[in-house]
């Protein structure tokens, strides 16, 4: 089974926090899928010092005219269950292998996509911010990819639909925070 990562999971150090096995950059296989685009609209409750806000994170949505780049990571059932804790407000969806552009995997892909309307941010929502640290995590990963991958991905960082918020943040859900920020223990 394969996971399609399109945000912080393209970052080896970030992805590693949700895996017991040691990942290498080779485990994050650059790929493209047809029919989806990357958007800033997934809401997660996060805390900056003493302030709880709606953190806005990357999400995907269907768009038949779009091709989206990201990475494929081969995963086990156990790893999927851990990733579900990390991506708790996202729905686990199946992307058919026929949607993969280029080398087809031997199975469909799993991806995390926020589908719950209550967890989808709308431009103008109050108390909603994109964490600058999250942007740094995603941007810093681009150094490990080819120029074409970088060029396509950099469009993600143009014209943010929400204000940015600087500083360290944690997820308010302790289990999600442990899996996403602190990492799992072997």
């Amino acid at each position: 089974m394969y996971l399609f990562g399109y945000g912080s999971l393209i970052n080896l150090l970030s992805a590693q926090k949700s895996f017991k096995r040691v990942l290498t950059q080779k485990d994050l296989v650059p790929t493209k899928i047809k029919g989806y685009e990357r958007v800033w609209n997934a809401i997660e409750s996060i805390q900056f010092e003493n302030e709880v806000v709606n953190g806005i994170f990357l999400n995907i949505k269907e768009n038949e005219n779009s091709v989206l780049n990201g990475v494929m990571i081969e995963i086990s059932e156990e790893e999927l269950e851990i990733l579900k804790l990390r991506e708790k407000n996202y729905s686990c969806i199946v992307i058919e292998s026929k949607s993969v552009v280029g080398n087809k995997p031997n199975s469909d892909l799993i991806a995390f996509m926020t589908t719950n309307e209550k967890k989808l941010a709308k431009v103008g929502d109050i108390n909603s911010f994109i964490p600058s640290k999250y942007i740094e995590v995603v941007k810093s990963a681009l150094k490990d990819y080819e120029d074409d991958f970088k060029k396509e991905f950099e469009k993600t960082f143009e014209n943010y639909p929400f204000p940015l918020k600087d500083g360290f943040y944690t997820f308010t859900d302790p289990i999600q925070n442990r899996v996403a920020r602190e990492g799992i223990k072997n």
Side-chain angles (χ1 to χ4, degrees):
M1 154 179 20
Y2 292 91
L3 172 71
F4 179 73
Y6 56 86
S8 61
L9 288 170
I10 73 161
N11 182 306
L12 178 61
L13 295 175
S14 180
Q16 181 63 68
K17 292 177 180 177
S18 299
F19 287 82
K20 291 180 183 176
R21 66 182 159 108
V22 175
L23 297 177
T24 68
Q25 193 63 42
K26 290 181 181 179
D27 292 312
L28 282 61
V29 179
T31 193
K32 295 180 184 181
I33 57 170
K34 294 182 289 190
Y36 292 88
E37 68 178 319
R38 196 176 353 262
V39 293
W40 288 100
N41 73 355
I43 297 172
E44 294 287 346
S45 179
I46 60 174
Q47 183 166 346
F48 285 91
E49 296 181 15
N50 297 323
E51 180 183 22
V52 175
V53 301
N54 289 326
I56 307 302
F57 294 86
L58 287 171
N59 191 19
I60 56 175
K61 73 175 187 177
E62 292 184 42
N63 178 345
E64 65 183 36
N65 300 315
S66 186
V67 176
L68 172 66
N69 68 336
V71 297
M72 279 191 309
I73 307 169
E74 191 165 3
I75 61 170
S76 68
E77 286 289 339
E78 178 186 3
E79 290 167 336
L80 176 61
E81 293 307 312
I82 293 168
L83 287 159
K84 285 178 181 178
L85 298 173
R86 173 187 176 131
E87 310 292 350
K88 76 177 205 89
N89 287 321
Y90 290 78
S91 299
C92 197
I93 65 162
V94 174
I95 298 172
E96 294 179 348
S97 62
K98 69 180 182 182
S99 297
V100 175
V101 177
N103 294 333
K104 306 276 189 232
N106 58 10
S107 68
D108 293 338
L109 294 96
I110 303 295
F112 291 100
M113 175 178 158
T114 301
T115 58
N116 179 345
E117 284 293 323
K118 292 178 182 175
K119 291 293 184 177
L120 292 173
K122 291 158 190 64
V123 174
D125 284 355
I126 59 168
N127 201 37
S128 298
F129 303 92
I130 299 172
S132 296
K133 291 280 187 202
Y134 175 74
I135 294 170
E136 289 174 25
V137 166
V138 179
K139 275 187 172 182
S140 69
L142 295 179
K143 70 184 181 329
D144 297 318
Y145 296 93
E146 300 291 328
D147 287 343
D148 288 348
F149 186 95
K150 290 179 201 176
K151 188 175 181 180
E152 286 181 47
F153 210 100
E154 286 174 349
K155 296 172 190 168
T156 304
F157 309 115
E158 299 171 357
N159 303 313
Y160 296 111
F162 296 90
L164 306 185
K165 189 162 183 69
D166 293 330
F168 181 77
Y169 69 91
T170 57
F171 293 98
T172 58
D173 180 281
I175 294 172
Q176 180 184 24
N177 194 65
R178 182 175 55 83
V179 176
R181 303 290 308 230
E182 299 167 20
I184 59 172
K185 308 295 184 239
N186 290 330

